[in-house]
């Protein structure tokens, strides 16, 4: 089984601790994405798994065996880097085949394996070309092919799409997802792009300051964020946050009405009321949260993002694309109760 387990990983550079006890279990064949802002520790975690950095404390298990003291070549992993790392003087055939240079396979077996991988990646017609004759997406497929040809237990991807333009990134996301569905290997994928994480992952690991904030499916981290950081990091535009106070089983927002909670929170406790722009509508429904004046409209076709100035600051809502409110118009913003999140104002953790 190509499973992976991280047990209380700690990493320090000199006296600075950058990972603070990371623990994670990855199932055989799972596609897991590590995501977070720059400096959160996601690439360091990947390099520890690969054996490119030395652990300060903790254990890494691959296929049920502890690999802390094994060299990268002995861990049965393959890594794809951001900068492709392919040889410009070699053909596509030789670049992909380079992954088998230390293999004990016969020449015929190596050729069969190479053709199998190039076929999966739709590169059979490109085998005799040099990297300079390829597009950015094709070069990235060569790098993936060189990793695939070894048939590793775990694939490690370190921001492999960062150097591609927006259209090509979208295409490569789809290709990597299809590739995973076809070959079924375990994949650990690092990115700072939450759209990549949401569209590709079976599960997302959201990191901040060397700690895991939440692990869950794309749906879970979007609809059930564990804290304010996750709520605002996942989703574009970010979740709106309004200051409120618990009062008699409800939350009061400024001088406005209350939101019934259905759970007990001590009176007077400061909270943050979170609601995503997708769930906030300028229609004055049952759960009216705030009202204000439209300051900016961003047409998106079927829908329009509406920026509304309120006494609590600017919030963003979504309106119908055909009949959005006009700039300067006063609107009431409402949301369904199940789409409203209540966070502790001090700790940032979700309350309900």
């Amino acid at each position: 089984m190509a499973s992976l387990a991280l047990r209380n990983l700690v990493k320090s550079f000199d006296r600075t601790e950058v990972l603070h006890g990371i623990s994670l279990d990855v199932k055989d064949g799972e596609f897991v994405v590590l995501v977070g802002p720059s400096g959160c520790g996601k690439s360091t975690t990947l390099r520890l798994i690969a054996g490119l950095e030395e652990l300060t404390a903790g254990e890494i298990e691959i296929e049920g065996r502890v690999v802390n003291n094994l060299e990268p070549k002995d861990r049965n992993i393959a890594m794809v880097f951001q900068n492709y790392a392919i040889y410009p003087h070699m053909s596509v055939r030789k670049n992909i085949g380079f992954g088998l240079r230390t293999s004990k396979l016969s020449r015929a077996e190596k050729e069969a394996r190479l053709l199998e991988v190039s076929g999966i990646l739709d590169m059979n017609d490109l085998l005799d070309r040099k990297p300079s004759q390829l597009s950015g997406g094709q070069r990235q497929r060569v790098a993936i092919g060189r990793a695939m040809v070894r048939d590793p237990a775990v694939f490690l991807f370190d921001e492999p799409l960062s150097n591609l333009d927006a259209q090509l990134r979208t295409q490569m996301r789809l290709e990597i997802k299809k590739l995973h569905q076809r070959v079924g290997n375990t994949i650990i994928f690092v990115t700072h792009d939450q759209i990549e994480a949401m569209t590709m992952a079976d599960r997302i690991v959201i990191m901040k300051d060397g700690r895991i904030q939440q692990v869950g499916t794309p749906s879970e981290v979007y609809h059930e964020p564990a804290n304010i950081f996750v709520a605002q990091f996942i989703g574009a535009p970010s979740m709106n946050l309004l200051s409120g106070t618990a009062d008699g089983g409800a939350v009061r927002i400024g001088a406005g009405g209350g939101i019934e909670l259905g759970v007990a929170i001590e009176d007077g406790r400061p909270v943050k009321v979170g609601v995503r722009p997708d769930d906030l509508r300028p229609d004055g429904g049952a759960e009216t949260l705030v009202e204000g004046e439209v300051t900016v409209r961003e047409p998106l076709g079927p829908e329009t993002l509406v920026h509304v100035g309120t006494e609590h600051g600017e919030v963003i809502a979504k309106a119908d694309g055909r009949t959005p409110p006009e700039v300067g118009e006063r609107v009431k913003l409402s949301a369904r109760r199940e789409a409203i999140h209540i966070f502790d104002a001090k700790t940032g953790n979700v309350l309900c």
Side-chain angles (χ1 to χ4, degrees), residues 58-182:
E59 282 188 348
I60 299 171
E61 290 184 10
I62 299 176
E63 298 183 291
R65 63 173 180 160
V66 177
V67 299
N68 291 25
N69 299 319
L70 294 183
E71 293 293 322
K73 63 183 177 62
D74 299 321
R75 296 191 179 198
N76 198 14
I77 55 95
M79 193 162 182
V80 180
F81 295 92
Q82 176 180 343
N83 62 355
Y84 313 144
I86 58 178
Y87 296 104
H89 63 286
M90 290 185 180
S91 66
V92 169
R93 178 187 300 275
K94 289 183 177 179
N95 264 290
I96 294 177
F98 192 79
L100 294 174
R101 69 193 187 285
T102 60
S103 169
K104 297 180 180 178
L105 297 175
S106 67
R107 183 186 295 268
E109 289 171 327
K110 288 180 180 180
E111 180 67 12
R113 179 65 183 153
L114 187 151
L115 292 176
E116 178 187 1
V117 168
S118 65
I120 291 173
L121 295 172
D122 194 24
M123 300 198 73
N124 283 339
D125 294 337
L126 305 176
L127 289 176
D128 295 323
R129 292 191 187 182
K130 296 288 181 64
S132 61
Q133 300 171 298
L134 304 177
S135 68
Q138 289 169 334
R139 292 177 195 174
Q140 193 58 275
R141 275 190 280 166
V142 173
I144 294 171
R146 191 172 63 192
M148 283 181 61
V149 79
R150 294 177 48 204
D151 194 23
V154 180
F155 282 104
L156 305 177
F157 287 84
D158 190 9
E159 303 206 39
L161 310 184
S162 296
N163 292 335
L164 306 180
D165 61 47
Q167 183 175 358
L168 198 50
R169 285 176 75 131
T170 301
Q171 178 187 338
M172 286 302 299
R173 284 204 308 261
L174 185 60
E175 288 193 22
I176 292 174
K177 188 70 175 177
K178 287 180 177 179
L179 175 64
H180 178 249
Q181 291 170 351
R182 293 179 67 178

Side-chain angles (χ1 to χ4, degrees), residues 129-296:
R129 292 191 187 182
K130 296 288 181 64
S132 61
Q133 300 171 298
L134 304 177
S135 68
Q138 289 169 334
R139 292 177 195 174
Q140 193 58 275
R141 275 190 280 166
V142 173
I144 294 171
R146 191 172 63 192
M148 283 181 61
V149 79
R150 294 177 48 204
D151 194 23
V154 180
F155 282 104
L156 305 177
F157 287 84
D158 190 9
E159 303 206 39
L161 310 184
S162 296
N163 292 335
L164 306 180
D165 61 47
Q167 183 175 358
L168 198 50
R169 285 176 75 131
T170 301
Q171 178 187 338
M172 286 302 299
R173 284 204 308 261
L174 185 60
E175 288 193 22
I176 292 174
K177 188 70 175 177
K178 287 180 177 179
L179 175 64
H180 178 249
Q181 291 170 351
R182 293 179 67 178
V183 301
N185 292 68
T186 304
I187 292 179
I188 311 296
F189 189 104
V190 161
T191 181
H192 63 274
D193 187 331
Q194 54 102 4
I195 299 298
E196 282 182 16
M198 291 290 287
T199 56
M200 299 176 74
D202 295 325
R203 283 193 303 155
I204 298 174
V205 179
I206 301 167
M207 299 181 66
K208 177 190 177 188
D209 298 333
R211 291 182 171 88
I212 291 176
Q213 301 295 305
Q214 186 172 357
V215 180
T217 66
S219 178
E220 287 169 346
V221 299
Y222 184 83
H223 294 291
E224 304 168 29
N227 55 43
I228 287 175
F229 174 77
V230 174
Q232 294 211 291
F233 187 80
I234 297 294
S238 294
M239 179 181 285
N240 298 296
L241 289 176
L242 306 170
S243 296
T245 306
D247 179 17
V251 166
R252 308 293 172 187
I253 303 175
I259 304 167
E260 296 300 324
L261 295 176
V263 297
I265 299 177
E266 62 268 26
D267 287 354
R269 185 174 187 174
V271 299
K272 293 289 186 180
V273 178
V275 60
R276 295 197 180 279
D278 284 347
D279 296 315
L280 193 60
R281 298 284 173 170
D283 56 14
E287 289 286 2
T288 297
L289 298 181
V290 290
E291 58 181 280
E293 186 177 290
V294 177
T295 58
V296 177

